[in-house]
Amino acid sequence: MKILVIEDDTFLSSLISSELQGAGYEVLAAHDGTQGLEMAKEKPDLIMLDLVMPGMDGFETLAALKADPATASIPVVVASNLGEAEEIKRAKDAGAIDFLVKVHFTPAEIIAKIRSLLPGVH
Amino acid sequence: MSEQKPNGPTWSVVNSLLGLFAGLYLGSWILKELIYPGATDVTAYERIVSDFTEAPVVFWQAVVLLSLSAATGFFAGLSISLTQLWLNERTYSRAVREVARSKDAFISMVLHHIRTPLTGIKWVLAALGGENQEKILTPENLRALKLENERAITAVNELLEAARVSSAQTTYQVEIRPVPEVFALLDEITNAAKSLAAAKHIVLKVSLLPPPPNTYIAIDKEKLQIVFEGLLNNAIKYTPENGSVSATMSVIGHHLNFTVADTGIGIPPEQQSKIFGQFFRADNARVKEPDGFGVGLFIGKTFVERMRGTLTFTSTLGNGTTFSVELPLVGAAGERFLAGITATPVSTPQPDTAPKG
């Protein structure tokens, strides 16, 4: 089970990656949108995508992921510290299956959420 | 919001009445000059039309023509005002929507800026007592945790400082200091910034030209430190890896000059006039470093000007920016110090006014 974490904050990225690995997931870590699109070619089972990133932001990355037939079917969970109603709607309209406001969740809760979104794959 | 809604009804009435009078005038001109040219009185009009009717045709023709022209003028005036009103309303609504959008975007960015370090703190603390405790509570992560804590405090302080500055509630402790003290302050700041620059492989060049003896300056040292740190950190932040940042300080004539020049992204020419505005961030700065409130330069300029100095810049998009601070020197007793600032001699002990908590 492979998770691609696209997160520009290296501290948060390393924390969530450690927790995901501890939970038995294989983790790919990208630190910006461009790197994320490249790594998405490795067909992860799920992408955890930050929104506010330098260069290509999360919305642009999501649009690019969904526009590419090779990555369009990979479920994307947005994990951002944005979280206004308009931003959530925009992300879901663009194809995100869920929107997590990072500060509201512990890593364990995020992992539980991922498990619930990918039933039968642990 | 300074946007004023246009006064529609008054505008419409005035325009409609003007249209009505213009219509009446035009109607009477047509009647007199085109339909009955040369006629000077009603009798003449009657004589002209008596060939085809016995009725007082002239009178009714005049009434109908004048009514039609007046009504046309009235409705033309009304239409012009309504069109104008519609256009004004559209512009006004667009401005209101723009302000609302900017406000939402700003709130969203503030939340993001504060939530991000808090997330790091929460995620580390969540590991306490858990299976992953040993993997998460590493010395490296604890050091990062300390930085995240500082980051959250800095974010809140920046916002508070911007609010204080914009409402003119900032208190200043301006004191007359020997100029070498400012050089020493900059030396400390540049030393502290070296690791930041090194992490991005940026060459940080520092040039401090020794000041002449017995030179003094009236400054709020704490505020000046914020200005210097802000300019230096910005230069490093917006300079790509392997670039360079030069900080120089010298006394030229009766002024202390500090410049920080970078080989960074520069400021787009069309946005340079707004760069000192509160909460303004240039588009290319947002893309390079999404997090930020756009208050640093606003605060810096206010602080420098309060010390009777100037903060200016030159910038070329894609090539870099140079910010310059110029502060006037004063005599030892402050006799050349410009009026308007309460300065205290350096020998007088000052209370510690550093923000706490």
Side-chain angles (χ1 to χ4, degrees):
Chain A
M1 182 73 175
K2 205 188 296 178
I3 309 277
L4 168 59
V5 176
I6 307 177
E7 166 67 68
D8 69 311
D9 189 302
T10 49
F11 184 46
L12 293 185
S13 175
S14 77
L15 288 175
I16 195 67
S17 297
S18 291
E19 296 278 7
L20 284 166
Q21 283 160 350
Y25 293 99
E26 185 186 340
V27 178
L28 302 169
H31 296 297
D32 59 45
T34 313
Q35 204 182 2
L37 290 179
E38 196 56 39
M39 288 187 170
K41 290 177 186 164
E42 295 183 33
K43 301 280 178 168
D45 296 285
L46 184 137
I47 296 173
M48 199 174 134
L49 175 66
D50 187 18
L51 289 180
V52 180
M53 294 186 290
M56 181 186 269
D57 70 19
F59 288 115
E60 292 167 315
T61 308
L62 181 55
L65 284 167
K66 293 300 167 189
D68 184 349
T71 54
S73 60
I74 304 170
V76 177
V77 173
V78 166
S80 169
N81 271 322
L82 297 180
E84 296 300 294
E86 195 185 325
E87 291 148 355
I88 295 172
K89 183 178 182 306
R90 195 175 154 203
K92 289 194 171 173
D93 287 349
I97 57 167
D98 209 343
F99 192 114
L100 309 179
V101 179
K102 283 182 283 196
V103 77
H104 295 163
F105 292 86
T106 62
E109 288 164 344
I110 290 175
I111 290 166
K113 194 84 182 169
I114 289 172
R115 283 190 175 133
S116 74
L117 292 169
L118 296 173
V121 192
H122 296 306
Chain B
M1 196 179 70
S2 60
E3 204 72 38
Q4 291 295 315
K5 213 170 175 176
N7 185 348
T10 309
W11 177 244
S12 302
V13 169
V14 169
N15 254 8
S16 305
L17 287 176
L18 281 175
L20 187 138
F21 288 123
L24 276 174
Y25 179 80
L26 185 68
S28 57
W29 183 82
I30 290 170
L31 195 66
K32 197 171 173 184
E33 301 294 332
L34 299 182
I35 300 181
Y36 304 117
T40 52
D41 55 25
V42 171
T43 313
Y45 292 142
E46 283 178 345
R47 198 169 51 246
I48 291 164
V49 298
S50 60
D51 291 345
F52 57 89
T53 177
E54 291 176 0
V57 176
V58 171
F59 174 76
W60 290 112
Q61 274 186 332
V63 167
V64 169
L65 183 68
L66 288 176
S67 303
L68 279 175
S69 55
T72 307
F74 179 82
F75 285 113
L78 191 63
S79 306
I80 289 170
S81 355
L82 289 178
T83 307
Q84 187 66 44
L85 265 180
W86 176 73
L87 287 173
N88 285 350
E89 189 65 34
R90 209 171 60 155
T91 309
Y92 176 78
S93 304
R94 199 177 290 161
V96 168
R97 278 199 303 274
E98 190 53 43
V99 169
R101 225 189 338 260
S102 302
K103 196 185 81 182
D104 289 348
F106 175 69
I107 291 172
S108 203
M109 194 41 69
V110 168
L111 287 174
H112 182 271
H113 204 52
I114 294 170
R115 279 170 172 169
T116 298
L118 293 179
T119 305
I121 295 166
K122 177 170 178 162
W123 286 7
V124 170
L125 294 178
L128 278 172
E131 289 172 7
N132 261 357
Q133 180 170 320
E134 278 184 23
K135 274 178 81 179
I136 300 294
L137 297 180
T138 60
E140 190 189 338
N141 278 350
L142 291 176
R143 270 194 299 276
L145 191 66
K146 186 168 174 273
L147 289 178
E148 293 297 285
N149 188 34
E150 291 297 331
R151 199 170 139 196
I153 292 168
T154 304
V156 173
N157 283 345
E158 268 183 11
L159 278 179
L160 280 175
E161 196 61 64
R164 279 197 206 109
V165 167
S166 75
S167 60
Q169 287 177 345
T170 305
T171 52
Y172 295 85
Q173 294 288 323
V174 179
E175 300 168 343
I176 295 171
R177 301 268 190 182
V179 167
E181 222 178 271
V182 184
F183 278 66
L185 173 69
L186 183 62
D187 198 32
E188 274 175 37
I189 292 169
T190 50
N191 277 331
K194 275 178 186 163
S195 58
L196 204 62
K200 288 180 73 180
H201 308 290
I202 287 172
V203 179
L204 176 57
K205 298 175 216 161
V206 183
S207 168
L208 305 177
L209 301 177
N214 301 320
T215 46
Y216 295 87
I217 192 162
I219 53 162
D220 180 324
K221 198 173 171 183
E222 194 184 294
K223 301 283 190 293
L224 198 58
Q225 181 170 351
I226 291 172
V227 174
F228 289 168
E229 281 175 347
L231 292 176
L232 201 57
N233 290 344
N234 268 357
I236 295 169
K237 188 172 169 182
Y238 296 115
T239 296
E241 292 203 354
N242 303 313
S244 73
V245 171
S246 307
T248 62
M249 184 171 276
S250 59
V251 169
I252 300 172
H254 298 300
H255 288 89
L256 172 77
N257 283 67
F258 165 66
T259 63
V260 56
D262 64 53
T263 57
I265 57 174
I267 304 165
E270 68 279 10
Q271 297 189 317
Q272 292 187 1
S273 62
K274 300 177 186 167
I275 207 72
F276 290 114
Q278 194 177 15
F279 304 129
F280 180 81
R281 297 191 74 211
D283 291 339
N284 57 344
R286 269 180 215 278
V287 171
K288 178 155 175 55
E289 295 287 338
D291 270 338
F293 297 138
V295 296
L297 289 174
F298 165 73
I299 291 173
K301 190 170 174 67
T302 309
F303 284 177
V304 170
E305 287 177 353
R306 189 64 181 79
M307 292 178 240
R308 292 292 186 265
T310 56
L311 171 57
T312 54
F313 71 93
T314 56
S315 183
T316 309
L317 187 62
N319 281 337
T321 303
T322 300
F323 277 95
S324 305
V325 175
E326 192 174 271
L327 291 160
L329 300 183
V330 299
E335 66 270 14
R336 287 181 50 209
F337 187 61
L338 301 169
I341 300 176
T342 309
T344 317
V346 71
S347 53
T348 308
Q350 293 298 306
D352 181 7
T353 55
K356 303 282 195 303

